Amino acid sequence: MAPSNPITEELFPPADSTLQQIPPHRSHDPSNNLKRSDPFQFGSRYLLPEDNPFEFNAWDHVEPSAEDLVRFESQIEVQRAAPVSAFDRNRFNTEPEKWWNKFYANNTSNFFKDRKWLQQEFPVLKEVTQKDSGKKVLLEVGAGAGNTCFPILRGSENEDLLVYACDFSRKAIDLIRESEAFEEKYIRAEVWDVASLDLPPGLQAGSVDVVLMVFVFSALHPAQWKQAVSNLWRLLKPGGEVCFRDYGRGDLAQVRMKKGRWMEENFYIRGDGTRVYFFSQDELQDIWSGEMFQTGRYHHADGDHEDELAGITDTSKPAPWFNVTSLGVDRRLLINRHKQLKMYRCWMQGRFQKPRPTGHV
């Protein structure tokens, strides 16, 4: 007798079972599908060998096929062959905040969806918002129009929680401050570049409990990584945590990049002038553990990038490092059932903790 498969049994209960229902992630019933399930959960619809991939609009944790990987690499070759001009590269790297100001001028807070899923993905956010959890400081880097900080505050039962919402776009900070939900007792909004040599206005070294960094690190030039990590290390209390989510290598957004967008390996300029980098899991492990900076493998700090580093990175300080508590790849296969198309999304998600002093429990 073949061994039982718990996953298969959960997704496809026995035909004679009258008590079990089709789980929401396998249901087409509007009253019992994934969007209606409570609590909502990611990552629950696995593509099994016997499945028809075009039955649903999305599948979780699906690796690209060998054929898809070949197609991806060929697309990257096309991009490399038609890079951004030297003039435009300098233009986009010199004043990146200019392009984000334009972006937020064209896209107000109504353009974005509130990130209500964050507490599910990062349990520490639930901890700092609980009643009587004490004085806590949460720093959101790249706060944009407030679609993360305001939902966190609305759901918070902690009267002593203070959120610092920072962005290097003046327009984004103006949108937060002009919001009806803005209360200075609970939230401060400041213009700050995470890769600058200064800490955010009003925050001191070792004063932050949690840093939230969602789709922000990818907007930095690789030459700015070390300074950004160093700043967050300085701001966090020992034991403090960075909650991180960003683009992964091979994501649909990278594969679809047109000619004239490639600036260097895995680093692009979008059509609106904003920059984006696509990370690998090993690369992020090396960055946040400090391994990249300590071993001299930080190739962005020399050669072609010396001019871009000037005035940006303080190389006199020891390399910052974090304990990588978790780091994983979040993959989705999106389906266009009408056109019979498969589209792969890839994101990186991690939690990075500032070490406590030796002997501290």
Side-chain angles (χ1 to χ4, degrees):
M1 181 177 179
S4 61
N5 185 330
I7 295 179
T8 305
E9 289 177 354
E10 177 190 354
L11 301 183
F12 303 104
D16 59 351
S17 173
T18 58
L19 298 178
Q20 299 187 52
Q21 294 182 343
I22 298 175
H25 53 275
R26 288 276 172 169
S27 175
H28 292 287
D29 184 349
S31 65
N32 182 43
N33 61 23
L34 186 63
K35 293 182 180 180
R36 301 257 180 194
S37 61
D38 187 23
F40 176 78
Q41 290 186 346
F42 289 114
S44 53
R45 184 185 292 142
Y46 294 88
L47 182 63
L48 301 177
E50 60 270 27
D51 284 324
N52 172 11
F54 297 102
E55 182 181 359
F56 291 97
N57 292 329
W59 300 88
D60 299 303
H61 310 300
V62 180
E63 295 276 351
S65 66
E67 181 181 345
D68 289 317
L69 290 175
V70 170
R71 183 164 50 85
F72 164 64
E73 289 300 330
S74 65
Q75 181 63 21
I76 300 301
E77 286 296 331
V78 172
Q79 296 168 356
R80 288 193 192 104
V84 65
S85 68
F87 172 81
D88 280 340
R89 175 180 171 175
N90 180 69
R91 185 164 64 104
F92 293 128
N93 282 329
T94 301
E95 294 181 285
E97 68 278 6
K98 169 184 175 181
W99 306 99
W100 283 106
N101 280 330
K102 288 185 175 182
F103 175 86
Y104 287 110
N106 295 326
N107 302 292
T108 63
S109 57
N110 293 332
F111 177 81
F112 306 93
K113 293 183 179 179
D114 288 350
R115 292 167 174 162
K116 301 176 182 179
W117 46 269
L118 286 171
Q119 288 192 2
Q120 176 183 307
E121 298 294 299
F122 301 112
V124 68
L125 296 178
K126 187 173 183 179
E127 294 172 13
V128 299
T129 57
Q130 286 179 342
K131 187 177 181 180
D132 300 326
S133 57
K135 290 185 178 180
K136 301 293 181 183
V137 176
L138 187 156
L139 168 63
E140 184 188 2
V141 181
N147 296 81
T148 296
C149 59
F150 287 134
I152 288 176
L153 285 172
R154 281 197 297 268
S156 175
E157 297 179 351
N158 182 8
E159 285 292 316
D160 293 318
L161 174 66
L162 180 61
V163 174
Y164 267 80
C166 293
D167 201 289
F168 75 168
S169 166
R170 166 63 65 182
K171 182 60 180 177
I173 294 303
D174 288 344
L175 289 172
I176 292 176
R177 289 176 176 172
E178 293 166 3
S179 170
E180 294 180 357
F182 182 79
E183 292 186 62
E184 199 162 1
K185 177 182 177 182
Y186 301 108
I187 183 171
R188 309 287 168 78
E190 301 289 349
V191 176
W192 182 59
D193 181 355
V194 67
S196 69
L197 297 181
D198 300 315
L199 298 183
L203 284 178
Q204 305 299 319
S207 64
V208 174
D209 295 280
V210 180
V211 171
L212 188 57
M213 201 175 198
V214 179
F215 298 110
V216 175
F217 206 56
S218 56
L220 300 178
H221 189 286
Q224 299 174 296
W225 292 345
K226 182 179 179 180
Q227 185 62 39
V229 173
S230 179
N231 284 340
L232 298 182
W233 191 93
R234 289 175 61 202
L235 283 164
L236 279 167
K237 299 175 182 177
E241 186 173 309
V242 176
C243 301
F244 179 96
R245 186 172 175 87
D246 222 316
Y247 295 103
R249 199 151 299 165
D251 181 62
L252 177 66
Q254 181 178 18
V255 177
R256 282 185 168 178
M257 283 289 178
K258 299 178 180 179
K259 295 180 179 180
R261 302 294 180 205
W262 189 93
M263 291 205 289
E264 58 184 84
E265 285 301 310
N266 304 302
F267 192 48
Y268 299 81
I269 195 73
R270 297 187 183 96
D272 59 10
T274 60
R275 306 178 303 187
V276 60
Y277 190 94
F278 297 88
F279 297 96
S280 71
Q281 187 172 2
D282 290 344
E283 190 172 42
L284 287 173
Q285 174 75 33
D286 283 354
I287 291 170
W288 289 93
S289 68
E291 190 72 17
M292 177 180 288
F293 312 130
Q294 294 166 351
T295 59
R297 289 186 290 112
Y298 189 42
H299 65 278
H300 299 289
D302 54 41
D304 294 338
H305 302 284
E306 285 180 345
D307 292 339
E308 292 160 4
L309 271 172
I312 296 178
T313 302
D314 184 351
T315 57
S316 65
K317 298 174 183 176
W321 64 279
F322 287 80
N323 292 323
V324 179
T325 306
S326 66
L327 179 60
V329 183
D330 183 6
R331 296 185 183 276
R332 300 267 160 69
L333 173 60
L334 305 183
I335 299 293
N336 184 323
R337 290 191 282 175
H338 177 68
K339 295 183 178 180
Q340 298 282 285
L341 294 177
K342 297 179 181 179
M343 299 164 287
Y344 292 92
R345 300 307 312 262
C346 180
W347 302 286
M348 312 304 298
Q349 185 164 303
R351 293 165 54 207
F352 315 125
Q353 186 180 56
K354 181 176 178 177
R356 293 184 172 90
T358 304
H360 182 84
V361 179

